[in-house]
Amino acid sequence: MKKVIYNILVATLVVAGFNGCTDNFEETNTNPRVLTEDFLVENPSVLGQAFAQSQYTSLNGLHWRFQISQNLFSDLWCQYYATTAVNFPSDRYTQVGRWADLAWSSFYGQAAPQIKLVEDLSEQAGEDALNAVAKIWRVHGYHRMTDYWGPVIYSSYGNVDFEQANITVPYDSQQDIYNDFFTTLDEAVSVLKANTSAAIFPSDDRVYGGDAAKWLRFANSLRLRLAMRIRYADPAKAQAEAEKAVADGVIESISDEAQVAVDGQNRNPLTTITNWGEFRMSAAMESVLKGYDDPRLPTYFSPAVSGDSDGDSNPYEGLLNGQTQVALGVSQNDLNSDVATRFLNDARGGSNPPLVVLRASEVAFLRAEGALVGWNMGGTEQDFYEEGIRLSMQENAAEGDVDAYIASTATPVPYAPGTDPLTDIPVAYDAGGSLERRLEQIITQKWLALYPNGWEAWAELRRTGYPRQYARSASDNPDVGIADVVRRMVFVSGEFTTNGPEVEKAIGLLSGADKNNTKVWWDKK
């Protein structure tokens, strides 16, 4: 009897506890480290259950996991939000160790075992289409992790012999990980092309309801995202992979975009953490959204409780990032804008929206950037830029004249009297401008369209330098100044304790010291 053994206790598989499709998961998974082929034959639904869980947990969907992994780091570092909590120093560029440890363990202790479980057992069961989708989801989950840290545990995950003493697990370089991503996507795409009509656990698939054809478009679109991510590190491979993705067919309509469905028990985490009153709209968001008279403003944020506080006759207010503890000692919550009603909890009128994975608007902006640098994206940079804006307006049900917005020469405004606008670029595409100016336009609108996906927005900020950022009020990090950008997360203390020799080797894979100002491999601009 063949056994599948995982290097991290699979007991964490059952933490999410989905309604309906996963109610019996903990009960059936009685041995957290061993699942047999016989068990799989007798309980085929375990694959679907783990599949559903992996989709939610790999996005850190549980509220506290989301907060410590995204909201307190990348959401602040890309300047979507600013912290209003006195004792939260991450907005002043401090990587709080216990939060980072939990962010790491949320993936490796919960999502990674589920992803591997589905991939391994679907292969054993001959479920080729599900195995292809599991590989795609592995790429998505791990690309988020390597984009945060650089080198991470990847190829050796799950391959450790528990009979060995002093177990350690090696890290892979980010370049090697990305190369494997593209190989893995090749394998998955090949299978899905031959199974486009397959129904892949439709009752459990929280993204596409088992639609193999849509998973194929997602795989190609994910390839395009990853190809653009390495544009400055490996231009030739980036172009080849991007053009391959477009030729195979990427997401073009809202009906095909990837979102993880939520429910009453497994909620969009924003609907919970907004109740804690620990963040508000950033000054950067205020400058851009107000300056552009952007129809998405009321779909992203709510008017400040105190109303107009800066004399511009507009009640939407943003807070400069990096406020000191003294400044935060006077409550900033009523003075600044919370998230829009749809992101609030039910009692406050919220709608519990799905967790966005990859939107049609993002794909359009990716194609705009590719066309900007001469890649064959199937259209012109300006057409894709304008299409990205249109799609984002539709995705957010924004009310307004989209054509007028696209043609607007309006520019960002000061977020408060005596301050400067974030930038001077208009919405209207400057076809005669420099390549860098046009790139800034594309990425600034992409930043707006990605909201509230700070994980992805922070990666794009590091990769391109856009959108421009306001210098923070203060930084507590000696390696990152107020006008600088955190380039990566440092390795977590728990790994130094349990996997120290391999972490030391991983540091040798970096371009510098294990610090927040050391760039990851693809950060080459």
Side-chain angles (χ1 to χ4, degrees):
M1 184 180 294
K2 187 182 295 183
K3 295 181 179 180
V4 180
I5 301 178
Y6 302 88
N7 74 320
I8 293 179
L9 292 179
V10 188
T12 54
L13 279 166
V14 298
V15 173
F18 283 98
N19 284 326
C21 67
T22 57
D23 284 346
N24 299 320
F25 197 166
E26 185 168 10
E27 182 178 322
T28 57
N29 196 21
T30 54
N31 186 334
R33 289 173 58 180
V34 178
L35 290 171
T36 68
E37 290 184 37
D38 287 348
F39 178 84
L40 177 62
V41 170
E42 295 169 4
N43 300 273
S45 63
V46 71
L47 276 177
Q49 295 164 7
F51 181 35
Q53 285 191 331
S54 71
Q55 293 173 337
Y56 188 76
T57 59
S58 65
L59 292 173
N60 294 316
L62 186 63
H63 47 72
W64 70 263
R65 294 183 187 276
F66 175 86
Q67 185 194 37
I68 52 86
S69 63
Q70 177 172 323
N71 185 251
L72 291 173
F73 291 126
S74 57
D75 283 353
L76 304 176
W77 295 346
C78 77
Q79 294 195 0
Y80 277 158
Y81 308 125
T83 290
T84 58
V86 174
N87 296 317
F88 284 3
S90 55
D91 203 9
R92 298 188 297 275
Y93 282 157
T94 294
Q95 181 180 319
V96 179
R98 66 184 181 278
W99 298 345
D101 271 331
L102 287 169
W104 179 273
S105 63
S106 288
F107 180 78
Y108 282 104
Q110 187 183 42
Q114 295 166 355
I115 293 169
K116 183 160 181 60
L117 177 73
V118 176
E119 185 173 351
D120 286 356
L121 296 189
S122 61
E123 181 179 10
Q124 290 183 37
E127 294 280 357
D128 293 342
L130 176 59
N131 183 254
V133 169
K135 288 178 176 177
I136 296 165
W137 202 245
R138 162 164 55 89
V139 170
H140 177 263
Y142 278 92
H143 105 70
R144 286 162 50 91
M145 295 299 289
T146 185
D147 287 351
Y148 252 42
W149 275 277
V152 294
I153 296 168
Y154 178 64
S155 64
S156 295
Y157 179 82
N159 297 324
V160 171
D161 183 352
F162 272 95
E163 301 304 319
Q164 294 179 349
N166 302 317
I167 297 170
T168 58
V169 187
Y171 288 55
D172 295 275
S173 72
Q174 187 173 62
Q175 183 175 10
D176 286 347
I177 293 170
Y178 261 75
N179 286 336
D180 187 76
F181 285 164
F182 294 121
T183 299
T184 300
L185 290 175
D186 284 339
E187 296 168 356
V189 165
S190 177
V191 171
L192 291 182
K193 281 182 176 179
N195 293 274
T196 55
S197 60
I200 307 166
F201 287 88
S203 62
D204 296 303
D205 179 7
R206 300 178 76 91
V207 179
Y208 285 128
D211 190 326
K214 290 190 175 184
W215 274 106
L216 178 57
R217 284 193 177 273
F218 171 69
N220 294 329
S221 302
L222 181 59
R223 183 193 300 276
L224 180 58
R225 175 195 278 180
L226 300 179
M228 197 61 69
R229 190 61 41 82
I230 68 170
R231 176 163 87 84
Y232 295 103
D234 191 343
K237 186 170 185 60
Q239 180 176 358
E241 294 291 343
E243 291 179 345
K244 180 193 295 185
V246 171
D248 272 357
V250 293
I251 294 169
E252 296 181 346
S253 67
I254 294 174
S255 62
D256 287 338
E257 59 189 30
Q259 302 184 37
V260 172
V262 294
D263 53 42
Q265 181 178 350
N266 307 280
R267 301 183 60 83
N268 184 311
L270 279 175
T271 66
T272 298
I273 68 174
T274 53
N275 287 341
W276 303 339
E278 294 162 345
F279 64 96
R280 288 294 185 265
M281 178 172 76
S282 74
M285 269 291 192
E286 179 185 0
S287 173
V288 174
L289 290 171
K290 279 187 177 179
Y292 288 159
D293 193 19
D294 197 302
R296 290 167 291 192
L297 177 54
T299 73
Y300 285 0
F301 296 101
S302 299
V305 171
S306 298
D308 174 27
S309 62
D310 56 11
D312 64 0
S313 301
N314 188 319
Y316 292 89
E317 305 295 345
L319 180 65
L320 184 67
N321 286 89
Q323 296 293 312
T324 65
Q325 286 184 304
V326 172
L328 293 176
V330 178
S331 177
Q332 300 290 330
N333 281 336
D334 286 356
L335 295 172
N336 296 284
S337 293
D338 200 353
V339 294
T341 300
R342 62 177 167 148
F343 296 116
L344 303 179
N345 65 23
D346 297 346
R348 299 168 69 190
S351 61
N352 194 24
L355 297 175
V356 173
V357 178
L358 200 156
R359 280 183 151 161
S361 57
E362 179 188 347
V363 174
F365 287 119
L366 288 166
R367 296 174 79 175
E369 183 179 351
L372 173 70
V373 294
W375 299 353
N376 182 4
M377 295 287 100
T380 71
E381 61 192 79
Q382 182 168 346
D383 286 345
F384 286 128
Y385 169 80
E386 294 177 353
E387 179 65 7
I389 294 173
R390 287 193 176 90
L391 286 166
S392 181
M393 295 294 178
Q394 294 171 25
E395 289 162 347
N396 291 285
E399 296 181 0
D401 188 335
V402 177
D403 288 336
Y405 178 85
I406 289 172
S408 172
T409 57
T411 58
V413 296
Y415 70 90
T419 65
D420 294 324
L422 189 68
T423 182
D424 66 348
I425 60 167
V427 178
Y429 196 65
D430 187 359
S434 68
L435 186 146
E436 200 63 26
R437 184 172 176 83
R438 287 176 283 158
L439 177 64
E440 181 181 359
Q441 287 190 287
I442 291 169
I443 302 302
T444 299
Q445 284 294 333
K446 184 178 182 181
W447 174 68
L448 292 174
L450 283 170
Y451 177 85
N453 186 356
W455 203 297
E456 190 64 19
W458 177 46
E460 287 295 86
L461 168 65
R462 290 176 286 155
R463 181 181 72 86
T464 66
Y466 301 117
R468 296 184 188 273
Q469 301 272 283
Y470 278 124
R472 276 166 159 70
S473 178
S475 172
D476 296 340
N477 190 328
D479 299 318
V480 188
I482 59 172
D484 298 329
V485 174
V486 172
R487 313 309 299 199
R488 61 177 288 273
M489 298 274 276
V490 301
F491 293 123
V492 301
S493 58
E495 276 289 287
F496 280 100
T497 301
T498 62
N499 199 28
E502 296 302 334
V503 180
E504 294 296 338
K505 293 177 185 177
I507 293 172
L509 299 174
L510 295 169
S511 60
D514 183 24
K515 294 184 177 182
N516 292 124
N517 62 348
T518 294
K519 294 183 175 184
V520 297
W521 166 72
W522 49 249
D523 189 359
K524 289 289 201 303
K525 186 178 178 184

